[in-house]
Amino acid sequence: MAFSRRGFRQRTLGRVACAAVWGIWVSVASTASAAPVALNVVDVAGNLALTQKGFEAFRDKYPDLVSRITFTNAPAPQLPGKIKAMQAAGRSDIDIVLTGTDALAAGIQQNLWQRLLPDYSARLPGVLDKYAPNVRAMQELSKGYGLAVTFMPAGPLVEYNPAKVTTPPKTPAELLAWCKANPGKLIYARPANSGPGRTFLMGLPYLLGDKDPHDPIKGWDKTWAFLKELDTCIPYYPGGTSAVMKELGEGSRDMTVTVTGWDINPRALGIVPASFKVQSFDRFTWVNDAHYMVVPKGVSKEKMDVIVKLINFMLEPAQQALTYDDGYFYPGPAVKDVPLSAAPAKSQETIAKYGRPEYAKLIADFPHAVPLDATAMVAAFQKWDAEIGSQKSK
């Protein structure tokens, strides 16, 4: 067969042309696969008050990564069941969950969350070194399934109306005596869906000298006995803290248990009168609190690539300074070296007006403890629901 230089050249040019077209197609396909993603963020901790501006700043700074972010609120006790059902159906409608220790614990127990550390350690460089010691201890609670984004040395504290309470209780025994003398005037929310409620629950074993503050089933005999006695003068247990503060502010209740943020923020918002006071217990232990960013299993690789970048962004000082907010999770920042002076002017003014000068000394002078781990916390909630709140919760 005769060899044709022209035919060879045409075939070669054809291959080159095809290769060029293929290269363009691959390039377009690659670009299409890296199109901006839409993220769905569900908040079960009230955390968006502290972080939504940070999330929106990421969206605005990186429109090539994120097309939009949808924000939704949900009750903490209901979310794990919803996510479990979605995962069983092979769906992934939620990309990031902002949670306290409650849904974090339930999700760990039910194997719902993606492990972030050590799985993504290389893309979260030095993340643990950003945390102060008390925050690092809270971070350990997540077992790597979440990253702390905000922090509060919570309580438990007693909040009261000084016009109705002349001698605020300084011990659990005094709290019980006041409650019995003033039935229906003390209230607190269901611990499974309330930061102040669960902080009170977990703080009592330290105050009462129980055998093991970290074992609610075998080590809290004094705590459960106390809560059952206290139950005799409590009218009912609201499903969340907001309802408690509303009743306190309206005057139908005179006292509740609280934490630093739930003391400052409702007063700043005018829900509770600014004149209301707090009292710390004698020789108490701070039970710290944190909010976490967690990712349900089943989120696509394309979204995970963006989410990891978003997590890094949310732990930068500029975004952390926003978490001072209006004192809702006081102080707020999870990372080191983010002073109040770095916060927006409105935050500085709010905390100057509604904060408590004594908090700095109390935080420095009294010991700090981490909350229960995931298994123990779920057990404590279940026991409280069954033995304390079952007849009175709303």
Side-chain angles (χ1 to χ4, degrees), residues 304-371:
M304 276 306 301
D305 290 342
V306 175
I307 288 169
V308 172
K309 292 176 182 177
L310 173 56
I311 290 172
N312 280 316
F313 181 83
M314 292 301 293
L315 295 178
E316 292 175 359
Q319 282 62 249
Q320 286 286 297
L322 298 174
T323 66
Y324 279 99
D325 183 53
D326 289 331
Y328 165 64
F329 208 67
Y330 180 81
V335 305
K336 295 181 285 190
D337 303 324
V338 183
L340 179 59
S341 59
K346 183 176 181 291
S347 296
Q348 296 186 47
E349 293 165 8
T350 298
I351 292 169
K353 185 173 182 179
Y354 297 102
R356 307 279 187 187
E358 62 265 36
Y359 279 159
K361 182 170 173 54
L362 289 171
I363 290 168
D365 289 354
F366 286 90
H368 292 249
V370 297

Side-chain angles (χ1 to χ4, degrees), residues 113-131 136 139-140 142-148 292-295 304 308 311-312 315:
W113 311 132
Q114 295 232 33
R115 191 187 287 274
L116 299 175
L117 297 176
D119 299 32
Y120 290 88
S121 295
R123 293 157 66 185
L124 294 162
V127 65
L128 297 178
D129 296 330
K130 296 179 180 181
Y131 296 132
R136 181 71 177 266
Q139 174 60 33
E140 294 300 319
S142 78
K143 302 183 188 300
Y145 289 101
L147 281 164
Y292 302 84
M293 298 176 284
V294 301
V295 181
M304 276 306 301
V308 172
I311 290 172
N312 280 316
L315 295 178

Side-chain angles (χ1 to χ4, degrees), residues 156-165 168-169 175 178 185-188 196 200 241 244-246 248-249 253-268 271-281 354 356 359:
L157 304 162
V158 174
E159 184 169 5
Y160 64 96
N161 179 352
K164 298 291 183 69
V165 181
L175 180 69
W178 186 91
K185 293 300 182 179
L186 171 69
I187 199 170
Y188 71 94
F200 177 56
T241 316
V244 172
M245 293 302 166
K246 185 171 183 288
L248 189 69
R253 316 295 170 194
D254 297 333
M255 187 182 296
T256 189
V257 292
T258 195
V259 294
T260 56
W262 274 103
D263 160 42
I264 296 171
N265 187 247
R267 289 166 47 247
I271 298 167
V272 173
S275 60
F276 278 31
K277 303 291 186 184
V278 294
Q279 174 66 52
S280 63
F281 289 102
Y354 297 102
R356 307 279 187 187
Y359 279 159

